[in-house]
Amino acid sequence: MEHSTERPLVSLTVAGIAHRDDEYLIVEEQIRGQRYLNQPAGHVEPGETLLEAVIREVLEESRFAFEPTELLGLYHDNPHQGRRVLRVAIIGKIGAEPDDEPLDDGILAAHFMSRAALERTTIPHRSPFVTAAIRDFEQGRRYPLDLLNSL
């Protein structure tokens, strides 16, 4: 099988996994006119560590302060064509209430949703990573944050 080298570089993203009262912190976002559900997530900016990025992304997209506690896992998508993605899912605690600042551009709302509600919704998930992370969280997967090293 021949593989093209003319593909975008890996997109390095982080996702904050926050669970409270049997519900997950989920953001509703709009991309090119379509609504999606996702964990608060986004690209790691130049010069940021993974932990700095997830703290920033959760705050920007949900307005909740986020304190990373454990690594949930690494999620990789390497399709035959298109963008390759590596998503680092990090579990954390969120503050009691969001702050009063506006949500990031494209974010319509932050919700708390149970796994069952996420499965029933008619709003599509941004990617299969959303349900994979929830499945892994509910299966008890947890790794220490010191596995994440930044140079």
Side-chain angles (χ1 to χ4, degrees), residues 18-29:
H19 182 256
R20 181 163 69 187
D21 299 327
D22 293 325
E23 294 183 318
Y24 297 90
L25 178 61
I26 299 293
V27 294
E28 183 178 343
E29 55 190 351

Side-chain angles (χ1 to χ4, degrees), residues 3-80:
H3 294 283
S4 171
T5 58
E6 298 292 322
R7 294 173 58 204
L9 294 175
V10 168
S11 213
L12 177 59
T13 65
V14 291
I17 310 301
H19 182 256
R20 181 163 69 187
D21 299 327
D22 293 325
E23 294 183 318
Y24 297 90
L25 178 61
I26 299 293
V27 294
E28 183 178 343
E29 55 190 351
Q30 187 166 330
I31 301 165
R32 292 181 290 284
Q34 172 66 50
R35 290 182 348 177
Y36 294 96
L37 296 178
N38 197 4
Q39 283 97 7
H43 292 89
V44 177
E45 299 293 333
E48 267 185 329
T49 67
L50 294 167
L51 296 180
E52 290 167 346
V54 75
I55 290 167
R56 176 186 53 77
E57 286 291 349
V58 173
L59 182 63
E60 288 176 355
E61 293 192 358
S62 73
R63 302 314 310 172
F64 279 94
F66 185 77
E67 178 188 344
T69 57
E70 298 167 295
L71 172 65
L72 177 63
L74 305 176
Y75 300 83
H76 181 237
D77 185 20
N78 189 21
H80 290 287

Side-chain angles (χ1 to χ4, degrees), residues 100-115:
D100 293 331
E101 296 296 315
L103 297 170
D104 207 7
D105 287 343
I107 304 297
L108 303 174
H111 307 286
F112 285 92
M113 298 179 74
S114 67
R115 180 175 52 83

Side-chain angles (χ1 to χ4, degrees), residues 124-143:
H125 298 173
R126 174 84 184 263
S127 79
F129 293 149
V130 174
T131 51
I134 289 172
R135 177 200 64 225
D136 291 349
F137 182 89
E138 291 185 350
Q139 289 177 353
R141 293 200 181 163
R142 308 284 189 279
Y143 303 96

